[in-house]
Amino acid sequence: MKVNATTWLIARRYFRSRKRQKFINRMTTLAWLGVGVSTMAMLLVLSVFNGLEDLLRQQFSKFNPDLKVLPAQGKTFLLNDSLRQKIKQTDGIDTFSEVIEDEAVVRYHEKQMVARIKGVSHNYGEVSEYPKHMVAGRFVLQEDDYYFAIIGYGVYRTLSYAWGDINPLEIWYPNRKGKITLTERDLQKGLIQVGGIFEVEFEQDARYILVPLPFAQALMQYEQERSALEIKAKQGKVAALKTQLKKRLGDAFLVLDREEQQADILRAIRTEKLFAGLALGVILLIAALNIFYTLSMVVIEKSKDISILCSMGAPERFIRHVFLLQGAMIGLSGALSGILLGSFIVWLQERYGFIKMGVVSSIVEAYPVRLAWQDVCTVGLCMILLTIVLSYIPAQKAARSFRIERL
């Protein structure tokens, strides 16, 4: 659409005119407000989803390693000397921990539960951030010949564990080399003292117990089998290391970064964000329809002006551009106001957190938010397209109305 100075001046005059009928003035104001409020609401909701996604990533970083190697099929893989050397010789690895992980029954006095037993190497504190999140005891898995379990805060509460009690936890696991029955005789039993309690994230705290790798090997009767390898990469080497490991290990293994380790949860958040955006997009469309009705009313009111302009030699294209530009002024000024106000509210929430979660046990007190420029561009682009589409029919009607006047 080519816009010259005359087109701009006439469209601006129609947009700002106060001599129109009050009803049309109110329609214009309502159209502007509807677009602005809808744009602001859409931006705020998308920012909340961005904040939740960032919060989840922050929580995952507390217990997920930089990279995790898993078998492509089955629960375990054989970690022989050849594979171990191949891992050690890969450039970019700071350190790595071997992992054996499975469900088992844990008993303490009269309490029992099904927990996730995770046997890890002695250097696991260097791979993960668990040592930074201890609420009791120390992150020590083994001292001399003594083994210690590090339990989640949720496990501690479920078992009603008495901190400092010398009585060990009983861990029961099915005998993998025998016939599985329902008697205790066919279960492997391990006793281990609690050495510390961690608190990182609700799901992890509620079911995870960390134990030394030799203890898990004996309990689950594993020799060279491992469930996973958790790797800490050197600074800035995660992406390159992931690519290199995929090439060296082949299709028999999966190499997952932190985001891929929690792909299901992040995918759920993004899906919810998509559907919320679509729902708000429908509301934005309904609000933008006011532009169509407003321009239609303006065309009727300005029919005499249109006839005068046409009699002075103004082509259809000129009339059409005038009303397209007026629709753009209503839509884009409303969208810009909504974006600016929404961005300001997001900034206030990030800085002061005045909208609280209202849940005592929540991870954060206030709703997490983050303004993404991709969302701003998407909302702005949608508004431009809606404005053009909804303004075209009234503008086309205005361009041809002079023919009706002459008849």
Side-chain angles (χ1 to χ4, degrees):
M1 182 179 70
K2 186 177 179 180
V3 178
N4 55 38
T6 306
T7 307
W8 170 264
L9 288 173
I10 295 175
R12 184 169 174 268
R13 181 174 178 274
Y14 285 175
F15 176 63
R16 301 182 63 182
S17 175
R18 292 294 177 267
K19 295 181 180 180
R20 297 177 299 189
Q21 296 182 19
K22 289 184 178 180
F23 175 75
I24 297 178
N25 281 332
R26 290 173 182 173
M27 285 281 291
T28 303
T29 303
L30 285 175
W32 181 83
L33 283 175
V35 170
V37 172
S38 300
T39 302
M40 180 191 68
M42 192 171 188
L43 206 59
L44 290 176
V45 170
L46 295 179
S47 297
V48 170
F49 278 104
N50 292 336
L52 290 174
E53 189 174 331
D54 289 347
L55 179 62
L56 287 174
R57 282 199 179 94
Q58 182 183 353
Q59 292 299 308
F60 297 155
S61 66
K62 295 178 182 179
F63 55 86
N64 282 342
D66 292 335
L67 294 173
K68 191 171 186 177
V69 177
L70 297 169
Q73 295 181 344
K75 292 173 58 178
T76 61
F77 62 92
L78 291 178
L79 183 62
N80 51 35
D81 292 337
S82 174
L83 181 58
R84 186 178 279 107
Q85 283 300 118
K86 190 181 291 187
I87 297 291
K88 287 181 178 179
Q89 292 172 1
T90 304
D91 183 44
I93 292 180
D94 188 354
T95 185
F96 72 94
S97 173
E98 303 171 21
V99 176
I100 297 175
E101 186 174 341
D102 208 348
E103 306 282 348
V105 175
V106 181
R107 182 185 296 173
Y108 174 73
H109 294 315
E110 302 301 320
K111 300 275 188 174
Q112 69 178 31
M113 64 175 292
V114 176
R116 190 79 178 172
I117 306 301
K118 187 172 183 176
V120 294
S121 304
H122 67 280
N123 64 339
Y124 189 66
E126 301 173 18
V127 176
S128 72
E129 295 188 8
Y130 279 97
K132 299 178 183 179
H133 302 281
M134 301 295 294
V135 294
R138 298 179 300 146
F139 192 89
V140 177
L141 294 167
Q142 184 176 355
E143 283 186 347
D144 299 327
D145 294 331
Y146 295 96
Y147 294 148
F148 297 95
I150 310 297
I151 65 175
Y153 186 71
V155 175
Y156 159 79
R157 295 186 63 179
T158 301
L159 295 177
S160 300
Y161 181 77
W163 177 247
D165 188 359
I166 61 172
N167 291 313
L169 298 180
E170 298 179 13
I171 303 179
W172 298 83
Y173 187 80
N175 187 348
R176 296 175 60 245
K177 298 183 178 180
K179 184 179 180 180
I180 298 177
T181 65
L182 298 178
T183 62
E184 291 187 0
R185 180 179 56 188
D186 298 301
L187 296 174
Q188 291 288 109
K189 177 183 177 182
L191 300 176
I192 190 167
Q193 188 71 38
V194 175
I197 302 170
F198 67 83
E199 185 176 16
V200 292
E201 187 266 338
F202 178 78
E203 184 178 351
Q204 294 281 320
D205 301 342
R207 63 193 190 103
Y208 267 83
I209 296 178
L210 305 181
V211 298
L213 188 65
F215 177 85
Q217 280 182 279
L219 177 69
M220 301 179 188
Q221 298 174 296
Y222 284 158
E223 295 178 4
Q224 290 185 315
E225 298 94 335
R226 297 292 183 268
S227 302
L229 295 176
E230 298 193 1
I231 299 171
K232 181 181 180 182
K234 292 180 180 178
Q235 187 72 25
K237 297 283 187 178
V238 176
L241 177 58
K242 178 183 176 182
T243 302
Q244 192 174 356
L245 283 173
K246 280 186 173 181
K247 290 180 179 178
R248 302 196 71 174
L249 299 179
D251 296 334
F253 294 90
L254 301 175
V255 182
L256 307 179
D257 56 28
R258 280 179 172 166
E259 184 164 327
E260 290 171 337
Q261 292 168 44
Q262 300 294 336
D264 292 339
I265 297 177
L266 291 176
R267 192 182 300 114
I269 290 289
R270 289 166 185 166
T271 302
E272 290 179 7
K273 178 182 176 180
L274 174 63
F275 281 104
L278 290 175
L280 288 169
V282 173
I283 297 174
L284 187 62
L285 173 61
I286 294 172
L289 281 172
N290 286 324
I291 298 174
F292 173 83
Y293 298 125
T294 299
L295 284 184
S296 298
M297 297 297 293
V298 172
V299 168
I300 294 172
E301 185 194 30
K302 300 298 181 182
S303 58
K304 185 176 180 181
D305 291 2
I306 295 170
S307 299
I308 293 173
L309 288 171
C310 291
S311 66
M312 293 173 65
E316 288 186 18
R317 183 178 65 257
F318 178 85
I319 304 298
R320 182 166 55 248
H321 288 176
V322 167
F323 287 94
L324 280 173
L325 188 56
Q326 186 182 357
M329 288 179 178
I330 298 172
L332 297 184
S333 61
L336 181 61
S337 300
I339 288 173
L340 292 176
L341 183 57
S343 302
F344 180 65
I345 293 174
V346 169
W347 179 79
L348 287 177
Q349 178 67 10
E350 284 181 328
R351 188 173 182 86
Y352 301 106
F354 60 92
I355 302 178
K356 305 296 183 183
M357 295 286 286
V359 180
V360 177
S361 59
S362 63
I363 300 172
V364 292
E365 292 184 4
Y367 275 98
V369 291
R370 175 175 61 85
L371 184 65
W373 288 111
Q374 299 93 324
D375 294 336
V376 175
C377 293
T378 300
V379 172
L381 181 61
C382 288
M383 197 60 244
I384 291 172
L385 293 175
L386 283 175
T387 299
I388 293 173
V389 171
L390 294 173
S391 301
Y392 183 79
I393 296 177
Q396 188 70 8
K397 181 180 177 182
R400 295 178 177 176
S401 64
F402 73 96
R403 295 178 181 175
I404 300 174
E405 292 290 330
R406 289 192 300 183
L407 291 174

